[in-house]
């Protein structure tokens, strides 16, 4: 799940300004849900490891006005998109802007000295790594003793919805299997706490952040259920068929069942896990 | 899931007073999670439909000091146990006690005139009913126009855990199947919002309340994962075997997998859904 919070949704059904504001508030609900509790003091140095197109960097900058953020990614194109996305964004009124430095780097081989950062932030990244344990060890190395790590990941096994459907379950399972075959883990949320503890962090605190969308929250239905979750599942259709996991018609049946959870009286639950931990003093 | 919040756990491992307090605080976390946001003004008349042994009634009384609670159940033995459990409980310091009236009644045939109550509360009850839609219609009848309904239910499809295990998944699925065969629905949480809307309630607001337990929260691991969830699954073992869903050894293997989620680095997530709604004015 690459950018669950900030896809630009084509939600232009002629709403009034008031309605638009209400919908925007709802879309912000997801960002608030994930980023609530994250804050960085002015002057602190923060590493965002795996910033992608900067979807979370904007929220980090808002959470740390006056902080210095080093945002890295292995993909230069994403990095360029992130920089363009955030350039010229004004800080919140009366607040000092965060400074953001964009660097092309591989989080598995961090080009920084030990204890370089006060805080490290990782969001929707570990799920794609073959060795999240080694990545966490590397992140701990560049974090000063006493500094904090924040990790946010999803867990596709947390999805449950109405109407329930076994074909919907099946296509989600196909996505999980394909991500595993690529070396990742779409079910990583449930094991964040043990991963952090095994990497030597202390004060590990993992907490669920559950998104719920139904007809009373149309912006979440559209922005999360439909355009983030279902779109992500739909994006592996050809790969799933090519891998022999199912036929095209079968996959499409799963997608139709998922669509029903974003229609009429449908409901959709998904749990992200947010974990914080400390790099202990020697 | 009958009484997830208030089982008396034999947690007597010689903890210090401070540790005991910490554990008690954690156990209270679950009650706080479920009951947070529920409050009733003094003098209001509240119907708790299906109070069972009074596990939630104590929290209702705390949420509505000075309110008048009518707690009903179809089972006289449970009702007697509830009355005994709550008799003599002092109210919070400086607070007026709630008055509780225990009545033997079937919530499917409520012996009350229309609009008798200001608020209705239902917790872990609808999941057991063959026709929750009819029950909700009956509850709306005895609720005054403008009065509110609060419903809390679980959803076993929300459970996800580390280590994951297919035998664990299987025994949970057996429990769901058996509850369905008995006319209930262990997956009702996901469809609370549509159920309430269909019963004519307005301002329906369903929200997830996700419990998460890991080694940093030992009282929740013991009180929720082990003594509530796993115990509930274990209680259908003989029934599952008799129904031919699996063999004894197979069921026990599922239980062992579940036990691992409550041991060492295990983690366990479960989502309750709390919904509120209004009986509209004519």
């Amino acid at each position: 799940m690459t950018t669950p919070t900030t896809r630009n949704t084509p939600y232009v059904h002629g709403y009034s300004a008031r309605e638009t504001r209400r919908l925007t508030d709802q879309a912000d609900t997801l960002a608030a849900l994930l980023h609530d509790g994250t804050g960085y003091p002015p002057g602190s140095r923060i590493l965002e490891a795996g910033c992608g197109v900067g979807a979370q960097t904007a929220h980090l900058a808002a959470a740390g006005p006056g902080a210095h953020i080093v945002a890295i990614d292995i993909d230069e194109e994403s990095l360029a998109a992130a920089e363009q996305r955030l350039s010229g964004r004004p800080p919140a009124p009366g607040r000092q802007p965060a400074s953001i430095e964009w660097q092309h780097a591989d989080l598995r081989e961090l080009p920084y000295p030990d204890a370089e950062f006060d805080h490290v932030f990782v969001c929707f990244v570990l799920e794609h790594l073959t060795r999240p344990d080694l990545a966490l060890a590397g992140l701990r190395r560049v974090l000063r003793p006493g500094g904090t790590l924040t990790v946010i990941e999803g867990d596709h096994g947390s999805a449950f919805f109405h109407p329930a459907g076994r074909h919907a379950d099946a296509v989600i399972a196909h996505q999980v299997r394909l991500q595993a075959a690529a070396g990742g883990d779409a079910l990583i949320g449930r094991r964040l706490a043990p991963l952090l503890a095994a990497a030597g962090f202390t004060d590990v605190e993992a907490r669920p952040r559950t998104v719920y969308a139904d007809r009373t929250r149309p912006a979440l239905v559209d922005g999360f259920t439909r355009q983030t979750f279902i779109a992500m599942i739909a994006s592996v259709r050809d790969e799933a068929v090519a891998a022999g996991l199912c036929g095209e018609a079968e996959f499409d049946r799963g997608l139709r069942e998922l669509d029903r959870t974003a229609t009429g009286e449908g409901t959709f639950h998904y749990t992200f896990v947010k974990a914080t931990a400390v790099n202990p003093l020697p």
Side-chain angles (χ1 to χ4, degrees), chain A:
Chain A
M1 194 167 300
T2 319
T3 57
T5 62
T6 50
R7 278 164 196 262
N8 292 315
T9 62
Y11 220 103
V12 285
H13 302 304
Y15 292 107
S16 68
R18 186 178 167 187
E19 179 69 359
T20 303
R21 197 164 52 244
R22 191 178 73 84
L23 293 175
T24 308
D25 289 348
Q26 285 176 15
D28 286 346
T29 300
L30 184 58
L33 184 82
L34 296 180
H35 292 281
D36 182 51
T38 298
Y40 300 110
S44 58
R45 284 181 63 77
I46 300 160
L47 174 66
E48 184 188 6
C51 65
V53 297
Q56 309 307 322
T57 317
H59 300 294
L60 270 195
H68 182 75
I69 300 170
V70 177
I72 68 168
D73 205 90
I74 197 170
D75 184 59
E76 293 193 82
E77 211 171 300
S78 295
L79 207 59
E83 187 163 4
Q84 190 176 12
R85 175 194 200 117
L86 268 83
S87 65
R89 275 213 188 190
R95 295 197 132 185
Q96 193 182 349
S99 86
I100 305 175
E101 197 175 326
W102 306 94
Q103 294 188 359
H104 179 228
D106 185 341
L107 68 84
R108 294 164 301 183
E109 295 177 63
L110 293 164
Y112 305 108
D114 293 0
E116 176 76 0
F117 297 97
D118 298 305
H119 304 286
V120 169
F121 180 85
V122 190
C123 187
F124 309 140
V125 171
L126 299 183
E127 60 162 326
H128 299 297
L129 304 180
T130 307
R131 295 293 305 266
D133 55 339
L134 297 183
L136 286 167
L139 291 168
R140 186 158 85 84
R141 181 185 67 76
V142 303
L143 182 59
R144 71 164 164 78
T148 65
L149 170 77
T150 300
V151 182
I152 304 175
E153 298 286 344
D155 191 310
H156 293 358
S158 74
F160 67 104
F161 36 81
H162 172 75
R166 67 187 180 86
H167 296 90
D169 291 341
V171 291
I172 295 171
H174 295 337
Q175 198 283 341
V176 172
R177 205 165 296 127
L178 291 168
Q179 190 162 337
D185 182 3
L187 310 177
I188 201 169
R190 67 190 69 186
R191 63 189 183 96
L192 277 191
L195 271 172
L196 268 54
F201 289 94
T202 59
D203 302 281
V204 176
E205 187 178 288
R207 292 291 181 270
R209 306 258 170 143
T210 305
V211 183
Y212 169 73
D214 70 17
R215 68 182 311 158
T216 67
R217 306 173 111 180
L220 275 176
V221 170
D222 193 58
F224 182 74
T225 310
R226 196 175 287 129
Q227 300 210 40
T228 300
F229 189 84
I230 299 176
M232 174 199 62
I233 298 297
S235 72
V236 302
R237 176 181 183 274
D238 295 350
E239 205 187 332
V241 172
L245 295 177
C246 64
E248 291 182 359
E250 215 178 329
F251 200 97
D252 292 341
R253 187 163 176 184
L255 288 179
R256 280 198 304 279
E257 285 189 358
L258 281 178
D259 278 333
R260 292 171 62 202
T261 73
T263 311
E265 294 297 334
T267 72
F268 195 91
H269 282 87
Y270 187 93
T271 296
F272 295 94
V273 181
K274 181 171 185 172
T276 57
V278 173
N279 183 22
L281 300 169

